[in-house]
């Protein structure tokens, strides 16, 4: 009952899933909306590096909804309420470049972009396979090869695959992923050949900080039981790297660091009995912080519902807490709240 009352207070606040865009992607959408003539004139004001970044983003943009277009252009054009969607493609990007740059310079930019686009498509297709198919494929591979592969796979997919490898192999693979440095080109070629795809040179490898952030994102999505089981071993074998990763993680307990109004917004926006279920598995300090962010009547009703729920399974608690974390990230992506971790990515328009 309490969760339902909490939720009803914000039924007018829709929470649509929106595509998160980087600065260059937003710039690419702007150029597409301007068209080739105006876009060319504007792009002439950019330097070569900026042109390449925008072109790379435009080439992989795909279909963009009208709602996203309106959101990106809201700072540039007043009253754009009926704008249509746009489609970014390699051909569109090439035509735009050829209208403002010499042919040899265009060829140089496009040659550099073609390879990474094909490589990204390879790993996107591999990430789209069933986690069981991926896990079965990886079980026969050496841990270092598995680490190299999973470093290129989406973190949400990797989080599902790792537990299927078994505890011993999972721990070894995760440790190797944390330690991962630049993968030799010939090794990546062999891996891509084994995946029966085009042979593409390995792209730029992430820095240690970027790899730590990626592992933090992975651990945030990993089953809590699996993470707790491997944590002691990682703390013993790679304490410094593991502590750096933990510092970048955003957990359910971190929600209490939000401003009370932001915390209340998250609580009001989650459906059904998500909130009382999530709080049943929280620490007493976290539970108190959540309750204190609510008005008196809503707080009393929430406490009453938590007390009347009966036993709650750990996996249900994990699912409820994950849902609240995902909703918090969604609100942060929409700039409706600010998460108490990291710095916003610099954006270029």
């Amino acid at each position: 009952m309490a969760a339902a009352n909490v939720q009803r207070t914000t039924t007018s606040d829709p929470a649509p899933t929106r595509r998160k865009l980087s600065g260059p992607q937003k710039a690419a959408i702007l150029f597409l909306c301007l068209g080739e003539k105006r876009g060319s004139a504007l792009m002439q004001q950019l330097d070569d590096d900026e042109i390449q970044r925008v072109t790379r983003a435009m080439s992989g943009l795909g279909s963009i909804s009208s709602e996203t277009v309106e959101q990106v252009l809201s700072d540039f054009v007043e009253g754009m309420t009926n704008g249509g969607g746009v489609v970014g493609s390699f051909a569109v990007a090439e035509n735009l470049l050829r209208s403002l740059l010499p042919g040899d310079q265009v060829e140089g930019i496009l040659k550099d972009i073609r390879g990474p686009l094909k490589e990204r498509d390879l790993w996107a297709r591999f990430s789209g396979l069933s986690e069981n198919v991926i896990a079965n494929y990886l079980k026969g591979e050496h841990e270092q090869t598995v680490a190299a592969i999973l470093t290129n796979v989406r973190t949400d997919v990797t989080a599902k695959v790792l537990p299927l490898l078994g505890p011993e192999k999972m721990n070894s693979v995760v440790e190797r992923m944390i330690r991962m440095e630049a993968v030799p080109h010939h090794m990546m070629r062999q891996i891509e050949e084994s995946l029966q795809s085009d042979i593409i040179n390995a792209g730029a490898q992430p820095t240690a900080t970027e790899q730590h952030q990626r592992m933090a994102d992975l651990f945030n999505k990993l089953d809590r039981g699996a993470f707790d089981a491997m944590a002691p071993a990682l703390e013993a074998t790679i304490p410094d790297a593991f502590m750096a990763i933990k510092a970048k993680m955003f957990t359910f307990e971190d929600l209490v660091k939000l401003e009370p109004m932001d915390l209340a917004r998250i609580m009001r926006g989650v459906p059904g009995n998500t909130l009382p279920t999530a709080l049943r598995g929280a620490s007493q300090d976290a539970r108190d912080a959540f309750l204190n962010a609510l008005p008196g009547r809503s707080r009393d009703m929430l406490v009453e519902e938590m007390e009347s729920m009966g036993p709650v399974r750990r996996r249900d608690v994990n699912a409820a807490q994950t849902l609240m974390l995902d909703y918090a990230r969604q609100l942060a992506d929409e700039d409706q709240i600010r998460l108490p971790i990291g710095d916003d990515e610099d954006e270029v328009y």
Side-chain angles (χ1 to χ4, degrees):
M1 179 184 296
N5 277 276
V6 171
Q7 184 185 7
R8 278 198 295 269
T9 60
T10 56
T11 53
S12 61
D13 290 337
T17 299
R18 296 182 182 176
R19 177 176 174 182
K20 185 176 181 181
L21 300 170
S22 67
Q25 286 175 319
K26 294 178 181 179
I29 291 173
L30 176 60
F31 280 112
L32 288 169
C33 290
L34 290 174
E36 289 189 12
K37 183 176 181 180
R38 292 187 178 88
S40 299
L42 179 59
M43 193 170 282
Q44 288 175 347
Q45 307 302 315
L46 306 179
D47 59 35
D48 289 348
D49 180 65
E50 290 169 334
I51 292 173
Q52 187 164 348
R53 290 172 62 193
V54 172
T55 305
R56 188 187 304 275
M58 187 183 298
S59 300
L61 201 57
S63 179
I64 303 297
S65 68
S66 60
E67 290 81 7
T68 302
V69 172
E70 290 177 14
Q71 181 185 359
V72 171
L73 298 182
S74 61
D75 292 336
F76 301 91
V77 181
E78 292 185 3
M80 184 179 178
T81 58
N82 297 309
V86 296
V87 176
S89 67
F90 192 92
V92 172
E94 181 177 6
N95 290 337
L96 185 62
L97 281 180
R98 292 192 185 283
S99 68
L100 65 110
L101 295 175
D104 56 347
Q105 188 175 355
V106 172
E107 290 301 327
I109 293 175
L110 296 182
K111 181 179 179 181
D112 183 66
I113 290 174
R114 283 189 184 100
L117 282 175
K118 292 180 181 177
E119 181 184 70
R120 183 166 63 245
D121 184 58
L122 160 68
W123 292 111
R125 292 199 308 269
F126 188 72
S127 296
L129 297 174
S130 161
E131 58 265 25
N132 289 314
V133 172
I134 296 176
N136 289 334
Y137 175 84
L138 297 179
K139 283 179 180 178
E141 299 292 334
H142 187 276
E143 284 87 347
Q144 188 66 23
T145 301
V146 177
I149 291 174
L150 291 182
T151 297
N152 288 278
V153 175
R154 295 200 318 265
T155 55
D156 60 322
V157 176
T158 303
K160 295 177 182 178
V161 170
L162 281 172
L164 300 178
L165 301 178
E168 184 176 349
K169 188 158 190 171
M170 177 173 66
N171 286 1
S172 177
V173 169
V174 168
E175 182 175 338
R176 290 170 186 271
M177 291 176 72
I178 294 173
R179 296 178 183 272
M180 184 73 68
E181 297 179 356
V183 179
H185 289 250
H186 72 275
M187 180 178 178
M188 293 306 300
R189 290 194 191 101
Q190 292 172 358
I191 289 172
E192 288 159 355
E193 285 176 349
S194 71
L195 297 177
Q196 298 179 349
S197 298
D198 295 334
I199 300 175
I200 308 296
N201 285 340
Q205 298 298 317
T207 65
T209 299
E210 291 170 339
Q211 187 66 1
H212 287 171
Q213 184 60 61
R214 186 180 192 279
M215 295 305 300
D217 294 340
L218 189 158
F219 288 153
N220 280 333
K221 298 170 183 175
L222 188 64
D223 176 78
R224 187 68 191 182
F227 175 77
D228 291 341
M230 76 166 67
L234 295 175
E235 288 176 345
T237 56
I238 45 174
D240 293 340
F242 189 58
M243 288 302 296
I245 292 170
K246 288 180 67 176
K248 295 178 179 295
M249 291 177 64
F250 181 57
T251 66
F252 182 77
E253 301 285 328
D254 290 325
L255 289 175
V256 304
K257 301 174 185 177
L258 290 166
E259 293 294 327
M261 290 183 62
D262 290 344
L263 186 56
R265 184 179 190 123
I266 295 171
M267 287 189 283
R268 292 194 303 266
V270 294
N273 64 346
T274 300
L275 178 58
T277 302
L279 291 183
R280 281 292 297 269
S283 67
Q284 188 60 51
D285 289 344
R287 195 178 301 180
D288 290 343
F290 275 87
L291 293 172
N292 290 337
L294 293 173
R297 184 171 180 274
S298 296
R299 180 171 60 247
D300 294 341
M301 294 176 69
L302 178 56
V303 171
E304 180 182 347
E305 182 169 354
M306 290 170 57
E307 292 174 347
S308 64
M309 287 183 70
V312 179
R313 291 177 297 184
R314 180 73 246 179
R315 65 182 181 184
D316 292 333
V317 171
N318 290 341
Q321 292 183 352
T322 298
L323 191 152
M324 293 188 67
L325 283 170
D326 289 344
Y327 184 53
R329 294 188 187 97
Q330 178 183 324
L331 292 178
D333 290 345
E334 298 167 2
D335 293 327
Q336 297 187 44
I337 66 172
R338 188 178 185 86
L339 298 181
I341 56 171
D343 295 321
D344 291 339
E345 181 186 47
D346 291 336
E347 296 185 350
V348 178
Y349 291 93

